[in-house]
């Protein structure tokens, strides 16, 4: 039922090697009621489907000539209210998070070593600190463990579609839910 | 996306499945069913269904309840639904065995066991299908391995519907002409839908992800994988829809099955090429026992394809169908299943026991829960016994086959003992076994606080 779409072309950011996630979430937060987002990217931005799906957007993706992708994110009826922070700690916009105090590259570790190291690192950090880690797949068994320990996170595949970057903010889930 | 937690009843599915596997091997070792009895005799039907439903289907259902959520990155729709499904399947199988014994005249036909078995097995598989379908429907994406599972689930649907039709006709509940015709001529379609559609297709889908995950190989989403999916689905459609149509029109399904075989072999060749690529492109040089043993299962799959084509060429496939089915069921499906169980049980047990305390102090690694050298010997014996058994069937040596089946049982008991030790943390050093805050896992049930 979207009457209009705001267009956002993140291809220049991606081609320059940048991370368009914040630009996309910024554009989404500025959408008016009933407005959708027309996103142009150099790859099929699969992780966004669940992130924006949690915010009440349906998606329609189509490949354009030259391998680029156009995705229409359309607000679903009855889903205009913002999602509850408690349920969606994973999808929360991280643009207001402080810069990570620790970076890890866990891409070449045998599973489940990436999960072990991230959890060990979270135990050593202070409340409010942010940890950044690179992985080679979505850490589906790690996420419930982070939630149980009260940490907030957000993650998505990078532009190459192979590297998954997760940001974990220590002890932030309880605060967001309050 | 909130991640995936442990499937509560998966270990119970695995345990029931392993009991059925050992029971089936014991039956073969004592000479129950084929080759001592005829291939269509009630004894053989009992043996085949203990393997197909009791072992392979319960194994696959238990694994899917845990790993389909991983494939589609979506929590399982219902943990609670998994238990009534398991109970329905197990009691349904028991009823089916009693019904076959009625067919044999060993027990009185007073109770309609065929109708009871049909109702319970339909209910059990429907619970599992509903649970998995709702999980997939809620998922944001459907990667290729999950699409293989969708085709596999279509395969089990047709297998169960055909099986229930046979049961109702054999039990005398139904005497509608076309359904009687389907029961007389439809057995090969039921077998292809079950072994090919449900079990092999689902195993292919899950193996794409598990092999990539455990060997640190890139996920395959290219043209060969898509073509394997489409050709395989077309082969099954041809075998099932074409076969049923041929029977209902009064013909026989052989032509449809041959056309399906041609497409199926191409699909398997593409799958084989993909799997070779996964092994070659892996970043992990020293792979673990599950991935090494999976290679023997894949070799068994390739051998059964070659054997099928050879037998077809010399027009002897009808005489030796049992050897091919044995190699597919025990070499490929059971071999892959046992190999991956070895890793899955260790990983799920580790996650259940140590997940809550990771990072808070020293914890054992997943590999500390297993002793691969010890388990490897049992696996080797297992595969040698499978290949010897297939050779004995081909050569028409029933006694040699029984000897091979006995070895198979010994090897399986050895592997199951390793799985129980893993679940009990028996191979973890005493001092490290239970760090503060960790609770020992239960044998048959997974609980997460």
């Amino acid at each position: 039922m979207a009457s209009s779409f705001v267009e956002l072309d993140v291809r220049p950011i991606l081609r320059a090697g940048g991370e368009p996630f914040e630009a996309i979430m910024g554009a989404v937060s500025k959408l008016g009621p009933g407005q959708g987002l027309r996103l142009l990217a150099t790859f099929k931005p699969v992780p966004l489907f669940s992130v924006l799906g949690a915010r009440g957007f349906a998606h329609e993706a189509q490949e354009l000539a030259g391998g680029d992708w156009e995705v229409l994110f359309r607000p679903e009826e009855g889903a205009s209210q913002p999602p509850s922070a408690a349920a969606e700690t994973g999808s929360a916009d991280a643009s207001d998070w402080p810069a990570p105090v620790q970076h890890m590259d866990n891409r070449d570790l045998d599973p489940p070593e990436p999960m072990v190291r991230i959890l060990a690192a979270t135990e050593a950090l202070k409340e409010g600190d942010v940890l950044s880690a690179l992985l080679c797949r979505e850490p589906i068994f790690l996420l419930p463990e982070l939630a149980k320990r009260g940490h907030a996170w957000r993650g998505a595949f990078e532009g190459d579609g192979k590297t998954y970057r997760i940001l974990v903010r220590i002890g932030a889930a309880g605060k967001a839910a309050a | 996306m909130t991640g995936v937690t442990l499937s509560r009843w998966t270990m119970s599915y695995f345990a029931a499945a392993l009991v059925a596997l050992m029971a089936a091997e014991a039956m073969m070792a004592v000479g129950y069913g084929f080759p001592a009895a005829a291939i269509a005799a009630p004894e053989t039907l009992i043996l085949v269904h203990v393997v197909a439903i009791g072992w392979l289907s319960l194994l696959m259902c238990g694994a899917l309840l845990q790993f389909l959520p991983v494939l589609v990155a979506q929590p399982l729709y219902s943990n609670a639904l998994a238990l009534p499904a398991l109970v329905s399947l197990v009691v349904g199988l028991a009823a089916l065995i009693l019904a076959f014994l009625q067919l044999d005249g060993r027990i009185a036909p007073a109770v309609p066991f065929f109708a009871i078995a049909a109702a319970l097995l339909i209910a059990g598989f429907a619970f599992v299908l509903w649970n998995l379908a709702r999980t997939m429907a809620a998922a944001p994406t459907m990667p290729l391995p999950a699409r293989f599972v969708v085709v596999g689930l279509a395969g089990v649907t047709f297998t169960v519907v055909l099986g229930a039709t046979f049961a109702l006709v054999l039990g005398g509940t139904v005497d509608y002409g076309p359904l009687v015709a389907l029961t007389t001529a439809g057995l090969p379609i039921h077998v292809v839908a079950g072994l090919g559609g449900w079990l092999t297709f689902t195993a292919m889908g899950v193996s794409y992800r598990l092999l990539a995950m455990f060997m640190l190989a890139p996920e395959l989403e290219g043209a060969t994988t898509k073509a394997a999916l489409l050709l395989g689905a077309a082969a099954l459609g041809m075998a099932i829809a074409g076969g049923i149509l041929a029977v209902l029109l009064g013909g026989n399904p052989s032509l449809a099955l041959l056309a399906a075989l041609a497409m199926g072999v191409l699909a398997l060749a593409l799958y084989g090429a993909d799997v070779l690529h996964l092994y070659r492109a892996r970043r992990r040089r020293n792979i673990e026992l599950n991935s090494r043993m999976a290679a023997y299962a894949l070799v068994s799959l390739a051998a059964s394809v070659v054997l099928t084509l050879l037998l077809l060429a010399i027009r002897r496939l009808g005489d030796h169908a049992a050897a091919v089915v044995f190699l597919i069921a025990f070499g490929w499906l059971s071999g892959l299943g046992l190999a991956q169980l070895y890793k899955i049980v260790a990983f799920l047990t580790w996650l259940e026991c140590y997940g809550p305390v990771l990072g808070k102090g020293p914890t054992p690694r997943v590999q500390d829960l297993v002793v691969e050298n010890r388990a490897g010997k049992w696996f080797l014996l297992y595969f040698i016994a499978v290949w010897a058994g297939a050779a004995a069937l081909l050569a028409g040596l029933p006694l040699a086959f029984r000897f091979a089946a006995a070895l198979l049982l010994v090897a399986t008991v050895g592997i199951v003992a390793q799985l129980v030790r893993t679940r009990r943390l028996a191979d973890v050093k005493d001092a490290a076994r239970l760090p503060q805050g960790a609770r020992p896992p239960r044998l048959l049930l997974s609980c997460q606080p």
Side-chain angles (χ1 to χ4, degrees):
Chain A
M1 291 289 288
S3 51
S4 64
F5 285 94
V6 173
E7 182 170 314
L8 177 65
D9 187 348
V10 295
R11 290 175 295 185
I13 305 181
L14 289 167
R15 290 202 182 104
E19 161 62 69
F21 188 79
E22 281 164 27
I24 295 168
M25 298 315 282
V28 168
S29 63
K30 291 194 191 82
L31 292 176
Q35 257 186 337
L37 179 71
R38 177 166 179 263
L39 180 72
L40 296 162
T42 53
F43 64 97
K44 189 179 181 183
V46 175
L48 267 186
F49 298 169
S50 56
V51 172
L52 291 183
R55 297 196 157 203
F57 288 89
H59 65 267
E60 257 168 63
Q62 73 174 53
E63 192 166 4
L64 305 173
D68 291 349
W69 285 79
E70 178 199 70
V71 189
L72 296 177
F73 290 99
R74 208 185 285 277
E76 287 171 313
E77 276 182 88
S80 52
Q81 73 282 11
S84 80
E88 291 303 331
T89 45
S91 319
D93 184 357
S95 55
D96 58 343
W97 285 10
V101 296
Q102 188 177 349
H103 294 270
M104 310 175 90
D105 185 348
N106 289 348
R107 283 175 293 182
D108 283 328
L109 297 177
D110 299 342
E113 199 56 24
M115 169 180 181
V116 175
R117 296 211 187 170
I118 289 173
L119 287 174
T122 62
E123 290 298 319
L125 292 176
K126 293 194 307 291
E127 176 138 353
D129 282 351
V130 173
L131 164 76
S132 157
L134 299 181
L135 304 163
C136 64
R137 63 187 67 247
E138 196 172 6
I140 29 194
F141 287 109
L142 169 69
L143 304 181
E145 201 49 51
L146 290 176
K148 241 189 281 170
R149 297 179 186 204
H151 307 319
W153 56 270
R154 83 140 178 89
F157 278 95
E158 306 273 86
D160 62 1
K162 292 191 173 80
T163 302
Y164 186 96
R165 180 194 296 275
I166 187 166
L167 295 175
V168 179
R169 193 175 185 191
I170 306 304
K175 212 175 286 174
Chain B
M1 171 57 198
T2 49
V4 171
T5 50
L6 291 173
S7 153
R8 192 173 308 143
W9 299 104
T10 284
M11 288 298 160
S12 316
Y13 275 77
F14 290 166
L18 289 166
V19 168
L21 171 62
M22 291 184 285
E25 289 166 346
M27 285 184 212
M28 294 189 291
V30 300
Y32 190 83
F34 190 85
I39 203 152
E43 290 97 325
T44 308
L45 293 176
I46 291 175
L47 173 62
V48 164
H49 287 88
V50 169
V51 174
I53 299 175
W55 157 234
L56 293 171
S57 291
L58 287 183
L59 170 73
M60 201 57 96
C61 289
L64 284 178
L65 291 172
Q66 180 67 67
F67 282 97
L68 185 77
V70 175
L71 288 182
V72 297
Q74 175 72 27
L76 183 66
Y77 170 67
S78 163
N79 253 318
L81 214 49
L83 183 62
L86 176 61
V87 173
S88 305
L89 290 171
V90 170
V91 181
L93 174 61
L96 187 63
I97 293 171
L98 291 171
F100 286 134
L101 290 173
Q102 283 179 333
L103 201 61
D104 203 20
R106 283 176 194 270
I107 54 175
V111 185
F113 280 123
F114 268 120
I116 296 172
L120 284 169
L121 290 172
I122 286 177
F125 280 111
F127 284 142
V128 174
L129 280 172
W130 173 250
N131 208 352
L132 297 176
R134 286 297 299 255
T135 306
M136 285 192 276
T141 56
M142 278 287 281
L144 273 177
R147 288 168 202 260
F148 277 85
V149 175
V150 171
V151 177
L153 295 181
V156 73
T157 307
F158 281 104
T159 312
V160 172
V161 168
L162 277 172
T165 305
F166 300 170
L168 294 177
V169 169
L170 291 174
T173 316
V174 170
D175 61 357
Y176 177 58
L179 295 186
V180 175
L182 205 54
T183 304
T184 318
L187 184 65
I189 309 172
H190 179 63
V191 175
V192 168
L195 275 185
W198 160 227
L199 296 165
T200 293
F201 230 75
T202 311
M204 284 163 71
V206 174
S207 68
Y208 270 120
R209 175 60 65 87
L210 287 183
L211 288 173
M213 202 156 78
F214 290 134
M215 299 196 296
L216 291 182
E219 300 278 347
L220 290 176
E221 300 197 320
T224 48
T225 315
K226 283 182 189 144
L229 175 67
L230 290 177
L231 269 171
L236 289 167
M238 171 62 79
I240 298 169
I244 292 177
L245 205 64
V247 172
L248 293 181
L249 292 175
N252 89 38
S254 313
L255 207 62
L257 291 175
L258 267 181
L261 179 68
M263 288 190 281
V265 168
L266 277 181
L268 287 173
L270 290 167
Y271 169 68
D274 273 351
V275 167
L276 272 182
H277 176 75
L278 283 179
Y279 274 89
R280 289 200 183 124
R282 69 178 198 267
R283 289 201 308 264
R284 184 176 203 164
R285 290 336 296 173
N286 297 318
I287 53 177
E288 293 164 339
L289 187 69
N290 61 313
S291 304
R292 293 203 302 276
M293 294 303 120
Y296 290 128
L298 290 158
V299 167
S300 302
L301 173 64
S304 55
V305 171
V306 171
L307 184 61
T308 304
L309 295 178
L310 279 178
L311 289 170
L312 207 59
I314 59 168
R315 297 177 170 278
R316 296 286 303 276
L317 184 60
D319 303 335
H320 292 298
V324 173
V325 169
F326 177 80
L327 197 54
I328 292 176
F330 286 90
W332 156 235
L333 295 167
S334 305
L336 184 75
L338 287 170
Q340 297 303 350
L341 260 188
Y342 186 70
K343 180 71 191 184
I344 290 169
V345 168
F347 174 69
L348 295 178
T349 302
W350 174 85
L351 188 63
E352 180 180 350
C353 185
Y354 303 114
V357 295
L358 285 178
K360 296 180 179 173
T363 40
R365 300 167 308 131
V366 181
Q367 284 306 91
D368 293 333
L369 274 66
V370 296
V371 182
E372 288 199 348
N373 282 341
R374 197 171 59 207
K377 290 172 192 144
W378 296 115
F379 272 103
L380 214 55
L381 179 65
Y382 177 90
F383 281 105
I384 289 170
V386 168
W387 296 330
L393 284 177
L394 277 177
L397 300 170
L399 208 62
F401 177 74
R402 284 175 57 180
F403 183 70
L407 276 186
L408 205 54
L409 177 60
V410 170
T412 305
V413 170
I415 293 169
V416 171
Q418 307 304 308
L419 297 175
V420 172
R421 287 184 67 80
T422 298
R423 195 74 193 143
R424 294 222 179 276
L425 309 173
D427 290 315
V428 184
K429 288 193 180 65
D430 283 338
R433 189 174 298 133
L434 283 178
Q436 196 178 2
R439 292 187 320 177
R442 299 191 213 177
L443 187 61
L444 301 180
L445 193 70
S446 300
C447 302
Q448 260 184 345

